[in-house]
């Protein structure tokens, strides 16, 4: 009989696993060609407007496969409800039987996205991170710090947001995580002060330009996951010593690399893939002066990995207590 | 919070709804172009061999959308487990939120398939059904009788199967449903005795030929749901006065109509669609002498309809008791 878990249970066991390590393993399996990810299923609704996506796949010879269902209905906010929702389904790769339903309400997607940022920083950030720059004072801007904590000792942040109110709230929440945050409405100030930058906004025009970026900076761009969104000017990717995509095939159609290729600033041959960078020391940052960019668009193997890890811990946890 | 229901609960409320009526409404909505059915998602596994399909869709302006996940892992039988499994997920079309998970283990697919047979018989069978011929002594062969009961008073059956043992078991189960069953291993005997025939086998070569079919017979062919399966010789569809598909677009690629079109026995223009036949009296059987064929390949709107109906009843039922 399949087991059913709710958000509070999921949050409780997340503290007992290391999502960064799980996601890292996922990227390695992905770049090794061990992951099967069929085309995404999609339903678009008109009245009210909304969309539902079905992402699914598995690691070959693994015990499980995972189906994620995620929806976004913007008008939910009219009645004070979150626009996003979602669930993770885990099945046995031996029998096809459902093993678990995780009603995570989209939370595990946030976690696996933030954990990917930590993986990118782990392998690409300079050794001495002076200050962390965060673009976007939303959930992901907070969660990035939560997982960056595990890969860098730096606790100084400069945060960019749309207004003072959201930045004040961000500052408070980041302080609770142990970070000292300066805030700004000027993107250039972030670039001038920070050598590890994470962009997590829904921007559709560049927030940062090439001449603003300091030598030795690593930028993880994770807001842009469609063909329309863009956070970095193509010149940044052109200038960068390394551009690392989570999935080279995926960034042919979306994300910062897509935009930079469209602009003629970089070529497909210039791209590295994160899983390969993790495996091969020679593909990682070679000096403290390099500028590096990680272009993260979100890959189903992240959903697979986080769901498996949480499930395994939920089962142990619920047996014990 | 999404509600979770298990097979016993689902079976209990199925007795309180009319699946035939629900499926009938679904076919009408489908033929009216009111149903959105995106391409099927698929995962194929090798070791052990298995497949998982994700079927999903919705009726426009309806309250819900439905995602069905169904798997078949043949080697489960080695350990005495059913090879098929499945679940139905129901979501709000207003918020995108999951409303219910129905762990039906594939049962609702059997029900909606059998109910479609009853819908076809209701609109296409002759007024006087002398005997019902059933090809295939499996679950679907049993369930067809369960729902045909609601649309014809005939309780005489001639059943064809692969061997005497399975037919003896079938005879016993059908008797419990109120049917008197003769059994045979000769397909021609079924055709000679029956004027309402339902084929529900996994055959990949015709079981019946045109010259065996009596005047006035209606045949519902529901076993063939891929491009490889076939239960009726193309000559039967050529000879038939009406060939009615559950989905004309779907039978372009699978089912009896596909095979008959490949053989040049019929053309796309010869096909009627079940939802249109239900709406339009002039498309239904015009005399007791006509030969009619219903080619049922299974449409996602059936999953949508049965899931909604069961869910609504489950909610009422669980509030009451």
């Amino acid at each position: 009989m399949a087991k059913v878990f709710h958000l509070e249970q999921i949050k409780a066991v997340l503290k007992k696993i290391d999502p960064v390590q799980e996601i890292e393993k996922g990227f390695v399996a992905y770049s090794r060609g061990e992951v099967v990810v069929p085309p995404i299923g999609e339903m678009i609704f008109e009245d009210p407007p909304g969309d539902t996506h079905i992402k699914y796949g598995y690691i070959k010879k693994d015990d499980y496969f995972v189906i994620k269902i995620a929806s976004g209905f913007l008008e939910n906010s009219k009645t004070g409800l979150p626009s996003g929702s979602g669930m993770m389904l885990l099945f046995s790769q031996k029998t096809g039987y459902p093993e678990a339903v995780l009603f995570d309400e989209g939370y595990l997607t946030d976690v696996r996205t933030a954990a990917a940022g930590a993986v990118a920083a782990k392998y690409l950030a300079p050794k001495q991170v002076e200050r962390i720059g965060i673009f976007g004072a939303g959930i992901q801007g907070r969660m990035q710090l939560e997982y960056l904590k595990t890969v860098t000792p730096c606790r100084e942040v400069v945060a960019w947001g749309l207004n003072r109110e959201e930045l004040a709230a961000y500052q408070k929440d980041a302080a609770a995580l142990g970070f000292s945050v300066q805030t700004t409405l000027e993107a250039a100030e972030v670039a001038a002060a920070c050598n590890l930058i994470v962009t997590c906004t829904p921007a559709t025009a560049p927030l940062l330009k090439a001449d603003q970026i300091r030598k030795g900076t690593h930028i993880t761009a994770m807001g842009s996951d469609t063909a329309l969104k863009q956070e970095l000017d193509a010149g940044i990717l052109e200038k960068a010593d390394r551009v690392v995509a989570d999935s080279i095939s995926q960034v042919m159609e979306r994300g910062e690399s897509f935009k930079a290729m469209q602009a003629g600033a970089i070529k497909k041959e210039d791209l590295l893939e994160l899983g390969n960078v993790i495996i091969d020391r020679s593909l990682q940052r070679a000096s403290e002066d390099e500028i590096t960019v990680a272009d993260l668009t979100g890959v189903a193997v992240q959903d697979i990995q986080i769901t498996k890890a949480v499930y395994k811990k939920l089962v142990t946890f619920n047996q014990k207590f």
Side-chain angles (χ1 to χ4, degrees), chain A residues 14-58:
Chain A
L14 266 170
K15 292 169 195 145
K16 299 167 198 295
I17 64 171
D18 181 355
V20 178
Q21 195 184 32
E22 302 296 338
I23 297 304
E24 182 174 323
K25 283 186 206 159
F27 284 126
V28 169
Y30 182 78
S31 290
R32 283 186 168 144
E34 296 164 2
V35 183
V36 177
V37 182
I40 294 168
E42 181 178 74
M43 282 180 274
I44 305 291
F45 301 92
E46 284 170 14
D47 183 25
D51 60 75
T52 297
H53 288 94
I54 309 173
K55 297 182 183 182
Y56 52 107
Y58 58 93

Side-chain angles (χ1 to χ4, degrees), chain A residues 48-302:
Chain A
D51 60 75
T52 297
H53 288 94
I54 309 173
K55 297 182 183 182
Y56 52 107
Y58 58 93
I59 298 175
K60 292 173 196 169
K61 298 183 194 298
D62 199 358
D63 289 333
Y64 304 107
F65 64 90
V66 170
I67 300 175
K68 170 166 103 171
I69 300 161
S71 296
F73 281 65
L74 284 178
E75 290 187 6
N76 288 355
S77 60
K78 285 186 183 174
T79 47
L81 295 170
S83 61
S85 62
M87 60 199 285
M88 299 286 198
L89 304 164
L90 183 129
F91 298 80
S92 163
Q93 218 181 106
K94 305 298 171 206
T95 63
Y97 292 179
E99 298 249 341
V101 177
L102 276 59
F103 287 116
D104 72 308
E105 302 172 26
Y107 189 78
L108 290 177
T109 299
D110 290 335
V111 170
R112 61 84 152 157
T113 302
V119 172
K122 181 174 170 188
Y123 290 98
L124 293 164
K127 281 201 187 79
Q128 300 294 334
V129 177
E130 282 178 48
R131 267 179 230 91
I132 301 167
I134 299 284
F135 281 81
I139 292 169
Q140 193 52 225
R142 288 162 167 80
M143 217 178 255
Q144 285 292 327
L145 293 183
E146 207 169 326
Y147 290 101
L148 281 174
K149 270 178 85 165
T150 68
V151 297
T152 172
C154 176
R155 296 293 176 268
E156 301 291 315
V157 171
V158 183
W160 175 94
L162 290 174
N163 59 63
R164 292 283 170 207
E165 291 71 38
E166 68 167 30
L167 283 169
Y170 181 82
Q171 195 172 35
K172 199 178 149 194
D173 290 348
L177 293 170
F179 288 88
S180 163
V181 178
Q182 291 175 269
T183 64
T184 179
L185 300 173
E186 297 299 325
E189 290 186 11
V190 181
C194 304
N195 63 346
L196 170 57
I197 295 174
V198 185
T199 60
C200 28
T201 72
T204 51
L207 301 166
L208 284 171
K209 293 198 169 158
D211 58 14
Q212 298 171 324
I213 308 302
R214 291 168 45 175
K215 226 195 250 184
T217 297
H218 170 72
I219 307 174
T220 296
M222 56 182 16
S224 175
D225 57 355
T226 71
L228 295 174
K229 293 187 199 166
Q230 183 175 16
E231 298 181 288
L232 306 181
D233 190 77
I236 296 177
L237 283 78
E238 188 174 14
K239 185 179 180 183
D241 296 278
R242 294 162 203 276
V243 178
V244 180
D246 51 3
S247 157
I248 289 180
S249 69
Q250 206 163 283
V251 302
M252 291 298 113
E253 293 174 354
R254 60 190 69 217
E256 304 302 333
S257 308
F258 168 71
K259 288 286 184 188
M261 283 186 279
Q262 262 197 329
I266 60 167
K267 297 197 196 74
K268 186 181 177 185
E269 299 74 54
D270 299 328
L271 295 172
L272 300 172
E273 199 166 74
L274 185 51
N276 294 326
V277 169
I278 295 167
I279 304 164
D280 184 350
R281 181 70 192 85
S282 76
L283 300 178
Q284 296 164 22
R285 169 179 289 271
S287 85
E288 287 291 280
D289 287 344
E290 281 192 4
I291 291 177
T292 55
V293 173
D295 178 16
L296 305 185
T297 55
V299 185
V301 73
Q302 296 169 252

